[in-house]
Amino acid sequence: MFKLLKTVIKTGEATKKYPFAPLEVCEDFRGKPELDAEQCLSCGACTRACPANALIMETDVKTGTRRWELSMARCIYCGRCEEVCPTKAITLSQNFELAVTRKEDLYEEAVFSLADCCQCGRPFVARKLLEYVLDTLAQSGVTGEQLKLRRQQLETCPECRRSNNMLDSENISHLRYFEEEL
């Protein structure tokens, strides 16, 4: 008996006091993903990279908003969202205690505003993403008339750009090259 007590005292505490004391995890532990909405561009890279479809991005053209949603019930904590985020807006935290009493608490969301097309007025791209691209162009040395032209192109929705680039039926001549050869 004395030998057993001596061994226990020599060994020290063999178990963790987890529910009553915080459990320390290693530095590269992959816990709950957290979004910094101020940093997020709402580009959608995280939603495309998520293998479990835990991240959803929905665009509502009527209200001019884009909604980002994370479902903690679907997340597998793989860290792909953190890897692909261009602005490091998503980080995996050390938090692993995610038990909730209501199902609604498993969802996190953020809402972003959309920029309108300069021609038709329909919202089509996230405002932060557009500003980020324009700032990147300005910092890369694009200035003056080039920046103004790029801004106009970027602030135009794909439908308006497509219609601007199409030729009128009067300007299309399928036989033009054939007639020149004769």
Coordinates of all heavy atoms in Angstrom, one line a residue, residues 134 137-153:
L134 N -9.9 47.9 -57.3 CA -9.5 49.3 -57.7 C -8.3 49.8 -56.9 O -7.4 50.4 -57.5 CB -10.7 50.3 -57.6 CG -11.9 50.0 -58.6 CD1 -13.1 50.9 -58.2 CD2 -11.4 50.3 -60.0
L137 N -5.3 48.0 -58.2 CA -4.8 48.6 -59.5 C -4.1 49.9 -59.3 O -3.1 50.1 -59.9 CB -6.0 48.8 -60.4 CG -6.6 47.6 -61.1 CD1 -7.9 48.0 -61.9 CD2 -5.6 47.0 -62.1
A138 N -4.6 50.7 -58.4 CA -4.0 52.0 -58.1 C -2.6 51.8 -57.5 O -1.6 52.5 -57.8 CB -4.8 52.8 -57.2
Q139 N -2.4 50.8 -56.6 CA -1.1 50.6 -56.0 C -0.2 49.9 -56.9 O 1.0 50.0 -56.7 CB -1.3 49.7 -54.7 CG -1.9 50.5 -53.6 CD -2.0 49.6 -52.3 OE1 -1.5 48.5 -52.3 NE2 -2.5 50.2 -51.3
S140 N -0.7 49.3 -58.0 CA 0.2 48.6 -58.9 C 0.8 49.6 -60.0 O 1.6 49.2 -60.8 CB -0.5 47.4 -59.6 OG -1.5 47.9 -60.5
G141 N 0.3 50.8 -59.9 CA 0.9 51.8 -60.8 C 0.0 52.3 -61.9 O 0.3 53.1 -62.7
V142 N -1.2 51.7 -62.0 CA -2.2 52.2 -63.0 C -2.8 53.5 -62.5 O -3.3 53.6 -61.4 CB -3.4 51.1 -63.2 CG1 -4.4 51.6 -64.2 CG2 -2.8 49.8 -63.6
T143 N -2.6 54.5 -63.3 CA -3.1 55.9 -63.0 C -3.8 56.6 -64.1 O -3.8 56.1 -65.2 CB -1.9 56.7 -62.5 OG1 -0.9 56.8 -63.6 CG2 -1.2 56.2 -61.3
G144 N -4.4 57.7 -63.8 CA -4.9 58.6 -64.8 C -6.0 58.0 -65.6 O -7.0 57.4 -65.1
E145 N -5.9 58.1 -67.0 CA -6.9 57.6 -67.9 C -7.0 56.1 -67.9 O -8.2 55.6 -68.0 CB -6.5 58.1 -69.3 CG -7.6 58.0 -70.4 CD -8.8 58.9 -70.0 OE1 -8.6 60.0 -69.5 OE2 -9.9 58.5 -70.3
Q146 N -6.0 55.4 -67.7 CA -6.1 53.9 -67.6 C -6.9 53.5 -66.4 O -7.8 52.6 -66.6 CB -4.7 53.3 -67.5 CG -3.9 53.3 -68.7 CD -2.5 52.6 -68.5 OE1 -2.0 52.5 -67.3 NE2 -2.0 52.0 -69.5
L147 N -6.7 54.1 -65.3 CA -7.5 53.8 -64.1 C -9.0 54.1 -64.3 O -9.9 53.4 -63.9 CB -6.9 54.5 -62.8 CG -7.6 54.1 -61.5 CD1 -7.4 52.7 -61.2 CD2 -7.0 55.0 -60.4
K148 N -9.2 55.3 -64.9 CA -10.6 55.7 -65.2 C -11.3 54.7 -66.1 O -12.4 54.3 -65.9 CB -10.6 57.1 -65.8 CG -12.0 57.6 -66.0 CD -11.9 59.0 -66.6 CE -13.3 59.6 -66.9 NZ -13.2 60.9 -67.5
L149 N -10.6 54.2 -67.2 CA -11.1 53.2 -68.1 C -11.4 51.9 -67.4 O -12.4 51.3 -67.5 CB -10.2 53.0 -69.3 CG -10.6 52.0 -70.3 CD1 -11.9 52.4 -71.0 CD2 -9.5 51.8 -71.3
R150 N -10.4 51.5 -66.5 CA -10.6 50.2 -65.8 C -11.7 50.3 -64.8 O -12.5 49.4 -64.6 CB -9.3 49.9 -65.0 CG -8.1 49.6 -65.9 CD -8.2 48.3 -66.6 NE -6.9 48.0 -67.3 CZ -6.8 47.8 -68.5 NH1 -7.9 47.9 -69.3 NH2 -5.7 47.6 -69.1
R151 N -11.9 51.5 -64.2 CA -13.0 51.7 -63.2 C -14.3 51.5 -63.9 O -15.2 50.9 -63.4 CB -12.9 53.0 -62.5 CG -14.0 53.3 -61.6 CD -13.9 54.7 -61.0 NE -13.0 54.7 -59.9 CZ -13.3 54.3 -58.7 NH1 -14.5 53.9 -58.4 NH2 -12.4 54.4 -57.7
Q152 N -14.4 52.1 -65.1 CA -15.7 52.0 -65.9 C -16.0 50.6 -66.2 O -17.1 50.1 -66.2 CB -15.6 52.9 -67.1 CG -16.9 53.0 -67.9 CD -16.8 53.9 -69.1 OE1 -15.7 54.4 -69.4 NE2 -17.9 54.0 -69.8
Q153 N -14.9 49.8 -66.6 CA -15.1 48.4 -67.0 C -15.5 47.6 -65.8 O -16.4 46.8 -65.9 CB -13.8 47.8 -67.6 CG -13.5 48.4 -69.0 CD -12.2 47.8 -69.5 OE1 -11.3 47.4 -68.7 NE2 -12.0 47.9 -70.8

